[in-house]
Amino acid sequence: MRYIVLGSRPARGVGAVTRARTAGSAVRRAGESHVVTVNHGLRVAAAYAWRLLVLGVALYAGFMILGRLQLVAVAVFLALVVTSVLRPLADLLARRLPRPAAVAVSVVGSLAATLGLLALVGRLVAGESGQLGEEFSGGIERIQRWLEGSPFHVNHAVLSDLQHKVSTFVSQHRSELISSALSGAGRLVEVLTTAVLALFCSVFFIQSGSRFWYWFQQLLPEGARDPWGRAGRTAWRTFAGYTRGIIIVAATNAVLVGIALFTLRVPLALPLTLLEFFAAFIPLVGSPIALAVATVVALATRGPVIAIVVLALIVVVGQIEGHVLHPLVMSWAVRLHPVVVALSVIAGSILAGVIGAVVAVPMVSVAWAVLSELRAAPDPDHPPRSPG
């Protein structure tokens, strides 16, 4: 006789429930064994990939906007360059003069010196244009005779045919050349507009750039002000250091080239020296291009021997710039590998021409300096200050 207690389960029912639970767990484990797991490295790569994709889209949109507003962007960049150069002079004069008077003296004095130098160069070019034309025509004949002789032995008919083709091309495309000159006149208006806007902005940047930055920081959330302050100080310190350093390098190169050209009595020595100064703002490639132009002028006016000497200057100036000037002048402000500099210049020239080649290296330098600063821990002993 079996007795059943109310509320209890038979032993067989308890065993069935246990076996059912065990079977369910086995089924779940079997199902989980067929689930495909993604490798950790692949997950990390995918996470970086979509973030880099978003960053690339943002950068592309930024470049498109800057392309549409190229005049404004170039004007602001030039204003920052002028500010980085003239701000220390204005601060020095402000110790003796009121701040507005110090800014006016520094800006007007620098503008007068620049315009005076350009006027002197234009006067020299205009004064030597007639004599230079005769020397060029005679130099072309000397080059032709030189190519016909040893060791080249170029056929006279080939050179005559080449000269005829060049003159024919110029006569046939004269209308296109004239239209290009007229379009160049339109570009001249844009250049003047950009220069005026840059001068206008630089006056206010020199006068009260720190107040602009303080106003901008007050618009940010309180937690974001310290990182933005550190980034702003680093960006301005790097940009100003690069600008002053590249001016020192360009001036040194121009002085060396000018002394050599004056010593060799190459015509248009001063304009070619000025060309070397401005070309040095494009690292690695600007200075050789300017010296190549000087070599052509020396070849046409002074002969192949002087041209070879000028051509040797490319190697000499390049060695001095790469092994002496950049380590001494630029290393404290910019720490970029030459490969990075070369790739930045080429990429900038592809995206925005000459302007991109000039702007590329300072932009990459500033971006790298800001990234390095934000990755480092903040220094509690140095409170936030304005970048100006």
Side-chain angles (χ1 to χ4, degrees), residues 170-381:
V170 173
S171 61
Q172 290 178 353
H173 297 80
R174 184 173 300 173
S175 59
E176 297 180 4
L177 295 176
I178 294 175
S179 63
S180 299
L182 293 177
S183 64
R187 297 290 295 179
L188 180 61
V189 175
E190 294 183 1
V191 170
L192 292 177
T193 304
T194 304
V196 172
L197 181 59
L199 182 63
F200 178 79
C201 293
S202 62
V203 170
F204 289 96
F205 289 167
I206 297 173
Q207 170 66 24
S208 54
S210 57
R211 282 185 288 177
F212 287 160
W213 180 253
Y214 178 77
W215 171 80
F216 172 74
Q217 281 188 302
Q218 297 306 309
L219 299 178
L220 300 174
E222 186 174 357
R225 292 175 186 174
D226 179 65
W228 276 88
R230 292 166 53 202
R233 292 192 303 272
T234 303
W236 178 249
R237 183 172 61 250
T238 304
F239 182 82
Y242 175 84
T243 303
R244 296 163 190 165
I246 199 65
I247 289 177
I248 295 174
V249 172
T252 306
N253 288 350
V255 169
L256 295 176
V257 171
I259 293 174
L261 294 179
F262 276 108
T263 303
L264 297 173
R265 294 183 297 172
V266 177
L268 300 178
L270 183 58
L272 292 174
T273 301
L274 192 63
L275 176 63
E276 167 65 25
F277 174 77
F278 287 111
F281 283 88
I282 304 178
L284 299 181
V285 298
S287 182
I289 292 176
L291 287 175
V293 174
T295 303
V296 173
V297 175
L299 180 62
T301 57
R302 297 285 293 158
V305 177
I306 302 299
I308 292 175
V309 176
V310 176
L311 188 63
L313 283 176
I314 298 178
V315 180
V316 175
V317 172
Q319 293 297 318
I320 294 176
E321 180 180 353
H323 294 86
V324 178
L325 295 179
H326 275 281
L328 291 178
V329 178
M330 303 288 289
S331 60
W332 63 274
V334 180
R335 295 176 178 87
L336 293 179
H337 195 274
V339 174
V340 178
V341 174
L343 294 177
S344 302
V345 172
I346 295 174
S349 62
I350 293 174
L351 293 175
V354 178
I355 297 176
V358 175
V359 175
V361 177
M363 286 184 61
V364 173
S365 303
V366 169
W368 177 251
V370 169
L371 180 62
S372 301
E373 176 65 25
L374 293 179
R375 291 178 61 184
D379 190 357
D381 297 333

Side-chain angles (χ1 to χ4, degrees), residues 117-176:
L117 181 60
L118 294 177
L120 177 61
V121 171
R123 181 179 177 182
L124 291 175
V125 173
E128 298 182 9
S129 59
Q131 180 183 358
L132 188 61
E134 297 177 357
E135 291 182 354
F136 260 101
S137 60
I140 292 175
E141 295 178 358
R142 288 195 301 269
I143 293 173
Q144 184 175 351
R145 291 194 301 268
W146 177 51
L147 293 175
E148 292 175 0
S150 178
F152 300 101
H153 300 291
V154 179
N155 193 355
H156 178 75
V158 175
L159 297 176
S160 299
D161 183 63
L162 179 61
Q163 186 177 1
H164 176 71
K165 287 181 179 180
V166 172
S167 60
T168 303
F169 177 82
V170 173
S171 61
Q172 290 178 353
H173 297 80
R174 184 173 300 173
S175 59
E176 297 180 4

Side-chain angles (χ1 to χ4, degrees), residues 46-60:
Y48 274 106
W50 74 260
R51 287 176 173 85
L52 291 175
L53 183 62
V54 172
L55 182 60
V57 172
L59 290 176
Y60 179 78

